[in-house]
Amino acid sequence: MVQPRFVRPTQSSPSSNSGEPNSSNLYVANCGPAVGLTHDAIAAVFAEFGDVNGVYAADESGVRVIVSFAEHFSAKAALEALSGRPCPDLEGRSLHIRYSVLQLPSETQVNDCVPVSLIDSELNIPGLFLLHDFVTVEEEQQLLAAVDARPWIGLAKRRVQHYGYEFCYGTRNVDTKKRLGELPSFVSPILERISLFPNLDIDPSCLNLDQLTVNEYPSGVGLSPHIDTHSAFEDCIFSLSLAGPCIMEFRRYSVSTWKASTTDAVKSGDCSCIKKALYLPPRSMLLLSGEARYAWNHYIPHHKIDKVKDKVIRRSSRRVSFTLRKVRNHPCRCKYPQYCDSQQQM
């Protein structure tokens, strides 16, 4: 049985915000199986306000659900009574509630069905290259052991390490005055191999990579759509996948997204975009340069299971990525000003 799919209302939806109670479905955050609350327990609480058709997982986090009522006035009553308040019958958790709408099957197919390619040439994105088996299995284990022997920094859903320069997630940039030192010796073989990377028709100085971010993604954790800040880094961005695979989706929006893809149009879905997807196997090296680096958002869906060419691939318990970049010390003068913070601020 296919589970119904719900989305956040848009301005054209029957309920565009929490002030227009025309939907019988509620998006409820801060409750679910991951915090010890079963769907039956949640349904029992919301049933006090009317007949509940069902409680469904809103995503794979385990802490967000959809409560679907038979009548919209029941949803309105539940939202007004429970949103933003501790609920004694749900272990005192404060629920964050907004309206949701049912997404039609045709909409799901159009919006979510992005064919996944296995080789870079199928995407036809200039400047995007993927090399399989860039490191051996033995080298992969050595690299993982090296980072696991060093301290991790905990973020909301993943862990990171920074070398060369610390990346500031608040500004999506680096402070060039605060250098952390040379890159660690365990990445030296990778740097030497990068110099032999095919199709590199770029300024050799861009290959003097001096910033490394190591990310550890638990199963089900992805990455929001973004373009690496133009003013922060030079042309080439290299990303080595270790320990597990993932799907990386590439999006080119019809509007400016230089503010880290947080424009109102992008968040609300009121702009069009081209979507393409690529399977990144363990030990592969991805290069984003030119148009791929400057004009296309890259994004890792928050999935535990990916579908690749009719095959279902379960993500491993962790995926570790090594992202290598060259810090920029001058304004960006790329050919994509609509996506460029340096040129938009002039």
Side-chain angles (χ1 to χ4, degrees):
M1 181 177 178
V2 177
Q3 177 174 300
R5 185 175 179 87
F6 300 85
V7 295
R8 186 173 184 173
T10 64
Q11 294 299 321
S12 60
S13 299
S15 58
S16 59
N17 53 54
S18 59
E20 299 181 18
N22 297 322
S23 175
S24 59
N25 308 304
L26 297 177
Y27 172 97
V28 185
N30 200 31
C31 70
V35 291
L37 301 174
T38 66
H39 287 184
D40 287 342
I42 297 168
V45 170
F46 280 84
E48 297 179 11
F49 303 93
D51 292 338
V52 174
N53 290 334
V55 176
Y56 311 100
D59 51 36
E60 294 180 338
S61 68
V63 295
R64 291 180 282 271
V65 300
I66 300 293
V67 178
S68 180
F69 283 97
E71 303 289 346
H72 68 82
F73 54 78
S74 301
K76 179 178 183 294
L79 185 147
E80 292 176 349
L82 299 177
S83 185
R85 299 182 178 90
C87 181
D89 295 325
L90 295 176
E91 299 183 356
R93 304 189 73 83
S94 294
L95 306 181
H96 307 285
I97 306 176
R98 63 172 185 251
Y99 286 106
S100 185
V101 294
L102 182 65
Q103 186 179 40
L104 299 177
S106 59
E107 291 176 331
T108 302
Q109 293 170 4
V110 171
N111 293 334
D112 291 346
C113 186
V114 181
V116 178
S117 298
L118 297 176
I119 56 176
D120 51 19
S121 59
E122 292 182 356
L123 271 63
N124 196 28
I125 299 178
L128 185 151
F129 304 98
L130 179 69
L131 286 189
H132 291 237
D133 298 315
F134 191 80
V135 297
T136 66
V137 173
E138 182 180 3
E139 289 171 326
E140 176 185 42
Q141 295 306 312
Q142 292 172 349
L143 291 168
L144 291 171
V147 294
D148 284 336
R150 297 180 177 228
W152 291 91
I153 300 170
L155 301 181
K157 295 183 179 181
R158 65 184 194 273
R159 300 192 300 174
V160 301
Q161 296 179 17
H162 299 294
Y163 299 95
Y165 295 88
E166 182 175 0
F167 183 76
C168 177
Y169 292 94
T171 61
R172 300 201 62 83
N173 213 317
V174 295
D175 187 345
T176 56
K177 297 179 181 178
K178 295 182 179 180
R179 190 156 186 243
L180 302 177
E182 299 294 327
L183 296 186
S185 59
F186 61 78
V187 296
S188 296
I190 299 175
L191 297 175
E192 294 174 6
R193 209 165 295 171
I194 281 176
S195 65
L196 304 176
F197 208 100
N199 305 308
L200 282 182
D201 184 19
I202 59 167
D203 183 349
S205 64
C206 294
L207 294 181
N208 294 327
L209 306 174
D210 55 9
Q211 198 277 333
L212 166 66
T213 294
V214 181
N215 281 282
E216 181 192 58
Y217 299 90
S219 179
V221 174
L223 189 65
S224 299
H226 70 283
I227 296 175
D228 283 33
T229 308
H230 288 203
S231 63
F233 303 108
E234 294 281 1
D235 186 35
C236 289
I237 297 174
F238 295 89
S239 182
L240 178 65
S241 295
L242 302 173
C246 77
I247 301 297
M248 182 167 284
E249 187 175 303
F250 300 90
R251 300 178 174 183
R252 183 154 185 180
Y253 289 97
S254 60
V255 298
S256 170
T257 57
W258 70 272
K259 291 184 178 179
S261 301
T262 57
T263 63
D264 291 339
V266 171
K267 289 196 293 183
S268 66
D270 293 337
C271 70
S272 61
C273 73
I274 303 170
K275 296 182 181 180
K276 302 183 180 185
L278 183 64
Y279 177 65
L280 306 183
R283 298 178 296 282
S284 65
M285 176 69 86
L286 176 71
L287 166 61
L288 301 180
S289 63
E291 181 180 319
R293 180 265 186 271
Y294 290 122
W296 289 76
N297 284 252
H298 55 279
Y299 159 60
I300 300 175
H302 300 264
H303 295 165
K304 290 186 177 180
I305 297 175
D306 294 308
K307 186 175 181 181
V308 182
K309 302 286 188 183
D310 296 325
K311 289 182 63 177
V312 174
I313 299 177
R314 181 174 294 276
R315 293 192 189 174
S316 59
S317 59
R318 73 188 299 217
R319 173 181 173 266
V320 176
S321 69
F322 282 39
T323 301
L324 289 149
R325 300 172 281 208
K326 167 67 176 173
V327 171
R328 189 188 294 274
N329 293 302
H330 54 84
C332 178
R333 294 290 183 264
C334 68
K335 299 177 182 178
Y336 308 94
Q338 70 270 39
Y339 306 108
C340 181
D341 61 312
S342 289
Q343 298 180 64
Q344 290 285 328
Q345 293 175 340
M346 292 177 64

